Amino acid sequence: FPGAAPSVVLYGLIFWLALGIDYNIFLMTRVREESLKIGTRKGVLRGLIVTGGVITSAGIVLASTFAALGVIPILFLVQLAFIVAFGVLLDTIIVRSLLVPALVHDIGRTVWWPFQRRINH
């Protein structure tokens, strides 16, 4: 689009990060609960199974809500709608469903080191 507002990238990034962190907290809280019961590697798989559908559907609904702003004839909102909708879908499908669980699975029990430190002291 001609005349793109330079602040739209900043606003889009802030929205995207804030919304993505919510999904990460939801996923990792469940993984932590399961990890305390059955171990980290199995807990990651079980936590992902339990929360995966909820996170994916919430991400799709949220992305479509922001994409609906794209029909408003205000350039700033069209740009913001695209950035946030695309970012939320990317975050929901790739980061929260694949990247975060894979990293926690590979790192194993060490991923919980901040909690272990607090418990020991």
Side-chain angles (χ1 to χ4, degrees):
F1 293 113
S7 62
V8 75
V9 176
L10 177 65
Y11 290 132
L13 183 66
I14 289 171
F15 272 112
W16 176 50
L17 288 175
L19 297 169
I21 287 171
D22 289 343
Y23 297 147
N24 195 30
I25 290 171
F26 182 59
L27 172 65
M28 292 309 294
T29 300
R30 185 58 186 216
V31 168
R32 176 76 175 149
E33 291 172 1
E34 296 294 335
S35 295
L36 291 173
K37 297 177 193 172
I38 60 175
T40 301
R41 291 176 191 247
K42 289 182 182 178
V44 169
L45 296 175
R46 186 173 293 170
L48 186 59
I49 289 169
V50 171
T51 62
V54 175
I55 290 173
T56 303
S57 61
I60 291 170
V61 168
L62 189 61
S64 62
T65 302
F66 273 96
L69 290 173
V71 299
I72 297 174
I74 299 173
L75 181 61
F76 179 80
L77 290 179
V78 172
Q79 294 168 342
L80 187 65
F82 176 77
I83 290 171
V84 175
F86 180 75
V88 167
L89 283 177
L90 183 74
D91 188 65
T92 301
I93 295 170
I94 295 177
V95 175
R96 302 297 165 237
S97 298
L98 298 173
L99 185 63
V100 170
L103 286 172
V104 174
H105 188 271
D106 286 347
I107 293 171
R109 202 172 71 177
T110 309
V111 79
W112 308 118
W113 70 268
F115 295 105
Q116 293 170 354
R117 196 170 187 203
R118 192 174 343 148
I119 292 170
N120 292 335
H121 287 55

